[in-house]
Amino acid sequence: MTYTIEQVKALIREYPDFPSEGILFRDIFPIFQHPEAVECLGNHFVERIKALGKSIDVVVGLDARGFLFGPLIAIKLGVAFVPVRKRGKLPGEVVNATYMKEYGEDVFEMQADSIRAGQNVVIVDDLLATGGSCKAAETLVKKLKGNVVLDAFVIGLVGLEGHKQLTAPVYSLIEC
């Protein structure tokens, strides 16, 4: 079966009151039960990135769900993939950035030699909520003198205004 992007969106499940009361959790994992849907999603993001009209050198994926989409998009673009990990998970020299979560601070790291000065970067993750984790990723890219040209998400929670925290243009496949 060949999927349209609307059919891919329809695969996302909603779970009220998970992980706590008042939260509507959107589950992207059903997409991965359908390889053609994953292919469609990857192609959709690649088309959006190419529409920027800019040369892309690196796709950065955020720990952990950005690792599901980031490598796929990077391969389709023929560019490098770079993971952003939680503190202490990467070997070698790293740069780090602190960000706020709903229950306190956390730290993201990136290997210090993963992005070269002047490289154009797309940051990919599954969800844009408050923007803290993506802002930390933007900070890491800037520390390595890269240029973030797009922050791309499967789902953007518009009411939390995370896009206002970010310096690069934002694209969310689903805005809710």
Side-chain angles (χ1 to χ4, degrees), residues 19-20 27 33 40-41 48 53 61 64 70 73 82 84 107 114 136 140 147 151 168 173:
S20 59
D27 182 11
Q33 296 172 12
C40 177
L41 184 61
R48 284 298 249 179
I73 294 166
V82 172
V84 169
V107 178
S114 60
L140 293 171
N147 309 307
D151 295 319
L173 172 64

Side-chain angles (χ1 to χ4, degrees), residues 12 16 50 79 87 91 138 142 144 166:
I12 297 171
K50 286 183 175 180
V79 301
R87 184 192 324 230
E138 283 186 341
K142 289 174 187 171
L144 298 178
L166 306 176

Side-chain angles (χ1 to χ4, degrees), residues 15-107:
Y15 293 93
D17 299 320
F18 181 83
S20 59
E21 190 171 335
I23 303 292
L24 178 61
F25 184 84
R26 290 171 179 86
D27 182 11
I28 63 167
F29 287 123
I31 295 170
F32 291 92
Q33 296 172 12
H34 307 275
E36 299 88 354
V38 176
E39 181 77 11
C40 177
L41 184 61
N43 289 341
H44 178 80
F45 277 105
V46 167
E47 289 169 14
R48 284 298 249 179
I49 292 165
K50 286 183 175 180
L52 294 171
K54 297 182 180 185
S55 169
I56 304 301
D57 303 297
V58 178
V59 172
V60 167
L62 303 190
D63 196 340
R65 291 189 180 134
F67 300 170
L68 299 172
F69 303 106
L72 173 67
I73 294 166
I75 288 167
K76 288 178 175 291
L77 290 171
V79 301
F81 172 75
V82 172
V84 169
R85 300 289 320 264
K86 302 257 173 109
R87 184 192 324 230
K89 301 290 184 183
L90 291 171
E93 184 182 347
V94 298
V95 292
N96 62 57
T98 301
Y99 65 101
M100 289 302 297
K101 296 175 79 168
E102 31 318 324
Y103 50 83
E105 285 187 348
D106 210 344
V107 178

Side-chain angles (χ1 to χ4, degrees), residues 117-162:
Q119 287 190 309
N120 287 336
V121 175
V122 173
I123 297 174
V124 177
D125 202 7
D126 68 320
L127 179 71
L128 173 61
T130 63
S133 59
C134 190
K135 181 179 174 73
E138 283 186 341
T139 299
L140 293 171
V141 171
K142 289 174 187 171
K143 283 184 176 184
L144 298 178
K145 302 190 179 1
N147 309 307
V148 180
V149 298
L150 182 68
D151 295 319
F153 306 91
V154 178
I155 300 169
L157 302 179
V158 180
L160 296 180
E161 298 186 332

